[in-house]
Amino acid sequence: MESAIKDVATLEQAKDLGLMESEFKQICEIMGRTPNFTETAIYSVMWSEHCSYKNSILWLKKLPKDGPHMLVKAGEENAGLVDIGEGLACAFKIESHNHPSAIEPYQGAATGVGGINRDIFTMGARPIAQLNSLRFGKLSEDRTKWLLKGVVKGIGDYGNAFGIPVVGGEVFFNECYSANPLVNAMSVGIMEVGTMISARASGVGNPVFIVGSATGKDGIQGASFASKDMSEESVKDLPAVQVGDPFQEKLLLEATLELAKTDAVIGMQDMGAAGITCSTSEMSAAGGVGMEIHLDKVPMRQDDMKPFEILLSESQERMLIVVKKGREDEVLRIFDKWDLNAAHIGEVTEGDRLRYYMHGELVADVSAHSLVLGGGAPVYEREFNEPAYYAEAQKFSIEQVQEPDDYVMTAREMLGNPNIASKKWIWEQYDSMVGTANMSTNGPTDAGVVRIKGASQALALTVDCNARYVNNDPEQGAAIAVAEAARNIVCTGGQPSAITNCLNFGNPYSPEVYWQFVGAIKGMSKSCERLKTPVTGGNVSFYNQSVAPDGSTRPVFPTPTIGMVGIIPDKNKIMTLDFKQKGDLIFLLGASKNDLGSSEYLASMHGIELSPAPYFNLDEEVKLHELVGKLITDQVINAAHDVADGGLFVTLVEMGLPNGLGFDILSDSEIRLDAFLFGEAQSRVVVAVSSDQEDAFLKVLSTTNVPNLMLGHVTKGKMVIDDNHYGFMDEAREIYDHAIAREMQGR
């Protein structure tokens, strides 16, 4: 012990590890001495933004956390947990793997999928569905194509092998993501209420096990790597990218769930960011105990690993388990059955000290409480200022934009836009049928739908965020992201329950970036409170910006991705979005506006990125949800699809494509035609009504003051607007279905 303590770290080493001078001084004060290098490395990862949320926690605490279905609130466990009825609970969470994916897209994305699934099954829930939200640069760029191929293959290979279907997602292309793509992965699992395994350590003398894969040098300093800007030098951080093994994870899943059926487990936590350091410190701090850990007992892939490398390694498919004393053999038998490592590496101790040994020598002695979020980790209040571009965006007026000379050609170009076109090239690489839980394949739906075996209800799942909206107005844009997610749930026949979020922003030390972050938190809170969808947790990912050789920086669009879970009370009343038959009436619920703000049409067809966020009124949104929910419950509509990216024209095409049916509609003479067809004003849903449902439908409409407009009717395949022929649905399909594939193939 004495020799380890004398081997003190220097301020330069602390800075190299990502600590600020003030933080290093704070650590010295906490410890009452200068830490050694291993201890400094421990603090560097636990006090990194990725683990401590030191620059975001003050505002995260303002998010609403209470709701009618909540079982586990944000920050309490590995993931959020909501009651979904019939004695069942849903565990769900979304996290980012942005920086690793930027330099090694395949493994970066694959290990993101693996990590988020472990967060779910360490709670004792079986994962049943995955979703993802992806952002890339312009698709015409070679680097974007390389990143897209790698990320999609990584997600597909890991998820397909692990055996969990991808049931939903979103992809968005913009040059601001060229150097720093965003890869957000969401996992959803099911368990019985009251069977959750906590991520807390307790019981002095209880043994501590590390289970799963052996530990290697991959992923060392991964948490710190995720807490700094991307640059040309980032490729040198390749060791910070982990390597995944989905087959090992499948074994770990089954062993964990078998272990969960016993009462031998006290606590369990995934070993993700910061590896052994994070799991031992967070479990100890949560339980108000300490641990003694013998690092030489950790199964390793390399013989020459130093103590700090073992502690900071982020090798995948590993977990830490605290077991009831005397039940060790039971645990070993289960993991031996599944051919997995299970090594007894330490014990729970009284107090809050974490003591790490190597071959009997004490190499680090730190306080668990001092390391963690909510404990001794620093909390900063950052300044924020409104950026100049915001005022510039608000100056936009629709009169600045000339209407298209050829609306038919414009409509076709919109369908071929990568942000609008089918993402078929991507989702065809995912196994959406594995596990037999995905019900979305029974018909296209606004949200992914997952059956719960043996239950009368189903789950509706979605991820949503229009980052252009958020960039142009963070508060309004984030409020819209929550509302759109809820609208997708409602259009599927579900009741929104709760959200998880992945908050992707630039450098928090930039006052303009932090202004975006604060605005997004305010907007998200506003919608979550009004829609009764509390925040169960999630992930903050700062430093999503690139540093050019000249030292200038460019942050990505602020991207607060919303993952939402909804409950469909009756799985026999799932609503699909596809037109069913020729002659059905088409209605628009909600009001169109003379509004082109932040639309894809404005950005891609007119080159205008800066404009106000689209029209949005939260009261109108709530009334729309109530109306659509009643129409579905009363079974008086046969299709529902929200108006979102690309506007009304794209919505109608997407409703017609599944069955090759077209539409014949009239526009609103009070609305500019381009705003009517391509504007993205919120709180609008298109529904289809058969002739025998019309009277009942109109009766429900008469009970509400939600604006509505009969647009026209479904056709056999022709697209007609104001008596002008826009082509046939087969022509639209050719453009819409193959646009991304053609671009990826250079055609």
Side-chain angles (χ1 to χ4, degrees):
M1 176 176 177
E2 203 57 35
S3 61
I5 300 306
K6 286 179 180 177
D7 181 22
V8 297
T10 65
L11 175 58
E12 287 69 28
Q13 287 175 320
K15 288 181 176 179
D16 287 343
L17 289 168
L19 290 164
M20 295 185 293
E21 182 174 354
S22 60
E23 291 173 338
F24 187 60
K25 289 179 179 178
Q26 187 179 345
I27 293 165
C28 292
E29 290 172 5
I30 289 170
M31 300 188 71
R33 59 178 173 83
T34 304
N36 64 22
F37 180 81
T38 299
E39 291 164 337
T40 305
I42 289 170
Y43 275 98
S44 77
V45 289
M46 292 307 297
W47 284 15
S48 70
E49 183 66 44
H50 194 72
C51 292
S52 74
Y53 290 177
K54 59 190 176 185
N55 288 307
S56 57
I57 190 62
L58 281 177
W59 284 96
L60 292 178
K61 287 181 177 179
K62 300 178 187 295
L63 290 167
K65 297 178 176 64
D66 297 309
H69 305 140
M70 294 295 291
L71 295 174
V72 169
K73 294 183 181 180
E76 291 181 345
E77 296 291 348
N78 281 334
L81 194 68
V82 294
D83 191 327
I84 57 174
E86 299 189 28
L88 296 174
C90 174
F92 65 106
K93 190 179 182 183
I94 189 169
E95 281 197 345
S96 64
H97 234 224
N98 303 336
H99 281 37
S101 300
I103 60 174
E104 214 303 300
Y106 180 84
Q107 289 294 351
T111 51
V113 170
I116 196 63
N117 279 314
R118 285 195 302 282
D119 278 340
I120 301 305
F121 69 74
T122 51
M123 295 179 71
R126 179 176 289 277
I128 60 170
Q130 299 175 115
L131 302 92
N132 53 69
S133 175
L134 311 176
R135 303 288 190 283
F136 299 96
K138 293 173 68 174
L139 189 54
S140 57
E141 296 175 356
D142 289 341
R143 174 174 166 78
T144 297
K145 293 174 183 177
W146 173 72
L147 287 168
L148 178 60
K149 286 178 181 177
V151 165
V152 170
K153 186 167 174 55
I155 292 171
D157 284 1
Y158 201 103
N160 297 352
F162 185 56
I164 308 299
V166 174
V167 302
E170 58 170 2
V171 185
F172 180 79
F173 301 95
N174 186 280
E175 61 183 354
C176 73
Y177 301 104
S178 291
N180 203 136
L182 302 184
V183 177
N184 296 176
M186 179 175 170
S187 180
V188 180
I190 298 294
M191 65 193 301
E192 293 180 4
V193 172
T195 63
M196 185 197 76
I197 301 172
S198 177
R200 297 169 184 262
S202 63
V204 174
N206 278 333
V208 178
F209 280 76
I210 186 171
V211 301
S213 295
T215 297
K217 294 186 179 183
D218 51 319
I220 293 173
Q221 284 291 99
S224 299
F225 169 57
S227 304
K228 59 185 179 183
D229 296 341
M230 297 296 294
S231 70
E232 289 184 341
E233 299 296 305
S234 295
V235 71
K236 296 178 181 177
D237 289 319
L238 196 58
V241 180
Q242 310 93 327
V243 178
D245 182 345
F247 300 103
Q248 190 85 339
E249 176 126 328
K250 178 65 174 173
L251 297 175
L252 189 58
L253 163 69
E254 300 302 338
T256 300
L257 294 183
E258 184 173 335
L259 181 64
K261 292 177 182 177
T262 75
D263 62 350
V265 184
I266 298 292
M268 178 160 49
Q269 182 164 320
D270 165 44
M271 212 165 281
I276 293 173
T277 297
C278 188
S279 51
T280 53
S281 58
E282 288 186 347
M283 289 184 75
S284 296
V289 295
M291 287 185 187
E292 285 190 357
I293 301 294
H294 297 271
L295 299 175
D296 50 290
K297 294 183 179 179
V298 174
M300 285 175 267
R301 295 203 296 269
Q302 282 115 331
D303 295 330
D304 60 343
M305 292 189 71
K306 297 179 177 65
F308 85 91
E309 292 175 322
I310 301 170
L311 282 164
L312 271 57
S313 167
E314 295 181 13
S315 293
Q316 297 292 285
E317 292 86 38
R318 301 179 302 157
M319 299 191 305
L320 197 76
I321 301 178
V322 177
V323 177
K324 287 182 181 177
K325 191 173 178 61
R327 306 288 292 276
E328 295 91 337
D329 288 345
E330 191 174 345
V331 173
L332 289 168
R333 278 197 301 273
I334 290 173
F335 282 90
D336 183 60
K337 168 187 171 182
W338 293 99
D339 197 25
L340 291 168
N341 291 315
H344 180 183
I345 63 170
E347 285 78 34
V348 175
T349 58
E350 193 172 353
D352 94 321
R353 304 305 298 180
L354 292 172
R355 295 185 174 91
Y356 301 102
Y357 294 86
M358 190 75 172
H359 302 300
E361 179 186 15
L362 182 65
V363 294
D365 183 354
V366 295
S367 157
H369 179 81
S370 73
L371 292 170
V372 301
L373 167 68
V379 175
Y380 298 124
E381 186 170 359
R382 293 284 163 226
E383 64 173 310
F384 51 93
N385 298 318
E386 179 184 300
Y389 81 80
Y390 175 72
E392 196 64 32
Q394 308 318 303
K395 295 177 182 177
F396 171 80
S397 168
I398 193 171
E399 282 73 30
Q400 295 172 225
V401 177
Q402 184 177 343
E403 290 193 56
D405 294 326
D406 186 337
Y407 267 97
V408 175
M409 183 61 68
T410 299
R412 292 185 179 191
E413 287 186 36
M414 286 291 291
L415 290 179
N417 183 312
N419 286 335
I420 300 298
S422 169
K423 307 308 183 289
K424 183 178 181 180
W425 182 89
I426 295 169
W427 54 253
E428 280 188 336
Q429 298 183 54
Y430 304 149
D431 189 341
S432 61
M433 293 301 293
V434 65
T436 72
N438 186 4
M439 296 182 72
S440 300
T441 52
N442 295 344
T445 48
D446 268 15
V449 180
V450 180
R451 76 173 72 247
I452 305 168
K453 293 178 182 177
S456 60
Q457 76 271 46
L459 289 181
L461 312 169
T462 188
V463 287
D464 286 287
C465 178
N466 187 307
R468 186 182 288 116
Y469 298 174
V470 185
N471 184 66
N472 288 340
D473 188 333
E475 187 168 340
Q476 189 85 323
I480 289 172
V482 175
E484 184 182 354
R487 200 184 314 136
N488 284 327
I489 299 286
V490 169
C491 284
T492 309
Q495 299 167 353
S497 178
I499 75 164
T500 177
N501 57 42
C502 196
L503 309 180
N504 307 273
F505 290 81
N507 192 320
Y509 292 86
S510 162
E512 289 77 17
V513 166
Y514 208 77
W515 174 85
Q516 295 173 333
F517 176 73
V518 170
I521 293 291
K522 290 178 179 178
M524 196 183 310
S525 297
K526 183 169 62 177
S527 280
C528 284
E529 287 169 357
R530 191 78 170 82
L531 296 169
K532 297 182 175 60
T533 54
V535 181
T536 64
N539 174 228
V540 177
S541 176
F542 281 136
Y543 302 96
N544 291 294
Q545 60 187 42
S546 53
V547 181
D550 64 1
S552 62
T553 60
R554 182 182 185 185
V556 300
F557 281 167
T559 311
T561 304
I562 304 299
M564 185 176 284
V565 167
I567 301 165
I568 300 176
D570 184 351
K571 63 186 178 186
N572 295 314
K573 292 185 178 180
I574 294 167
M575 181 54 58
T576 60
L577 62 83
D578 53 316
F579 289 143
K580 304 299 187 298
Q581 59 200 1
K582 177 186 174 184
D584 282 357
L585 299 178
I586 304 170
F587 281 81
L588 174 65
L589 308 179
S592 294
K593 304 287 182 181
N594 267 315
D595 180 13
L596 291 173
S598 294
S599 63
E600 187 62 43
Y601 164 78
L602 193 62
S604 60
M605 304 303 295
H606 295 278
I608 300 175
E609 283 279 15
L610 291 179
S611 60
Y615 176 85
F616 174 64
N617 181 293
L618 196 47
D619 291 334
E620 293 174 8
E621 185 77 34
V622 172
K623 291 177 182 177
L624 177 69
H625 291 192
E626 292 170 351
L627 172 59
V628 173
K630 181 168 178 54
L631 292 171
I632 293 172
T633 300
D634 291 356
Q635 297 183 294
V636 296
I637 58 174
N638 60 29
H641 190 21
D642 79 316
V643 180
D645 299 354
L648 177 62
F649 176 76
V650 171
T651 298
L652 292 167
V653 171
E654 288 176 343
M655 296 179 80
L657 281 170
N659 298 315
L661 296 169
F663 50 86
D664 188 339
I665 67 164
L666 296 176
S667 64
D668 186 336
S669 60
E670 296 182 7
I671 308 292
R672 259 181 58 153
L673 186 55
D674 55 351
F676 184 79
L677 293 179
F678 310 122
E680 297 176 15
Q682 299 295 293
S683 309
R684 294 183 296 160
V685 170
V686 175
V687 298
V689 183
S690 64
S691 56
D692 60 348
Q693 295 169 322
E694 185 178 359
D695 289 344
F697 170 77
L698 293 174
K699 185 176 181 181
V700 174
L701 278 192
S702 69
T703 66
T704 180
N705 61 358
V706 173
N708 65 85
L709 177 68
M710 194 184 88
L711 294 172
H713 62 274
V714 178
T715 68
K716 191 174 181 180
K718 195 174 184 179
M719 298 183 292
V720 179
I721 302 171
D722 295 335
D723 295 326
N724 293 315
H725 186 201
Y726 277 64
F728 292 94
M729 195 54 67
D730 285 347
E731 296 170 324
R733 185 192 313 282
E734 179 63 26
I735 299 168
Y736 182 83
D737 276 3
H738 304 295
I740 289 181
R742 286 196 184 100
E743 188 66 56
M744 293 300 290
Q745 294 161 8
R747 293 191 284 120

